[in-house]
Amino acid sequence: MNYLTCLLFLLIFFDPACFAADAPLPLSLKQCIEMSLKNNVEVLASRARAQQAQGEEQIWQADLLPQIDAVASQQRTWWENIGALGFPGFTGVIGPFNTFNAAIMVSQRILDFSALAHAKAGKIKWQSSRLAIELASQQVVLATGLAYLQALGY
């Protein structure tokens, strides 16, 4: 009786079908291409290089924008000799007093050919990196299509 119980237990809970590998799911060519474009290292690296080139282009473009600087300062003076500052006829010391200085300065380069050349080079580099993404993608699509056809036996 004990033997039959163990055998029944093994047949019910350890069905050989649950250990067999599931049949691979058939993938269409479109699904294979989408997966390979999503996971290919060269395509991912090309996209990263394109993002880097776009950031560098924005940095170079920033050199063409006006530069704005703001400064604020405060100073406490305890005493000052007025005669020593160049006011004739005044003698003695004044103070204490506070001085506050705030300034905004805007500067714009009118003709900076090097900044223009750098901005143009950054734009060309960004366009080149976008073309590199397209090239890498096309190579992955071609390799995936060839591998798919070989897997089908053609």
Side-chain angles (χ1 to χ4, degrees):
M1 182 76 177
N2 194 9
Y3 176 74
L4 288 174
T5 307
C6 286
L7 185 61
L8 183 63
F9 177 77
L10 289 174
L11 288 175
I12 292 173
F13 291 109
F14 295 109
D15 184 21
C18 60
F19 293 115
D22 292 337
L25 296 175
L27 293 175
S28 68
L29 178 60
K30 183 179 179 181
Q31 290 172 328
C32 289
I33 289 173
E34 288 173 357
M35 287 176 56
S36 60
L37 285 175
K38 185 174 131 183
N39 297 317
N40 185 274
V41 174
E42 188 60 36
V43 174
L44 295 174
S46 295
R47 288 183 184 148
R49 284 190 293 270
Q51 287 178 341
Q52 178 184 3
Q54 185 179 16
E56 289 174 359
E57 182 207 4
Q58 290 174 351
I59 290 171
W60 290 117
Q61 292 286 338
D63 283 344
L64 300 175
L65 297 174
Q67 305 297 316
I68 300 174
D69 294 323
V71 175
S73 65
Q74 179 181 356
Q75 180 180 357
R76 175 89 170 159
T77 303
W78 292 102
W79 52 79
E80 193 69 48
N81 185 350
I82 300 238
L85 291 177
F87 294 104
F90 290 99
T91 59
V93 181
I94 62 168
F97 59 91
N98 293 327
T99 56
F100 179 77
N101 181 21
I104 295 177
M105 184 175 81
V106 177
S107 63
Q108 172 67 47
R109 296 182 197 151
I110 295 178
L111 285 176
D112 188 356
F113 292 113
S114 66
L116 288 171
H118 285 127
K120 187 175 181 178
K123 185 175 184 176
I124 291 171
K125 184 177 179 182
W126 182 53
Q127 290 171 344
S128 171
S129 63
R130 287 190 321 190
L131 292 174
I133 291 173
E134 289 181 31
L135 176 64
S137 299
Q138 289 174 359
Q139 289 174 342
V140 166
V141 168
L142 178 65
T144 304
L146 288 173
Y148 189 81
L149 289 175
Q150 284 180 346
L152 290 177
Y154 292 112

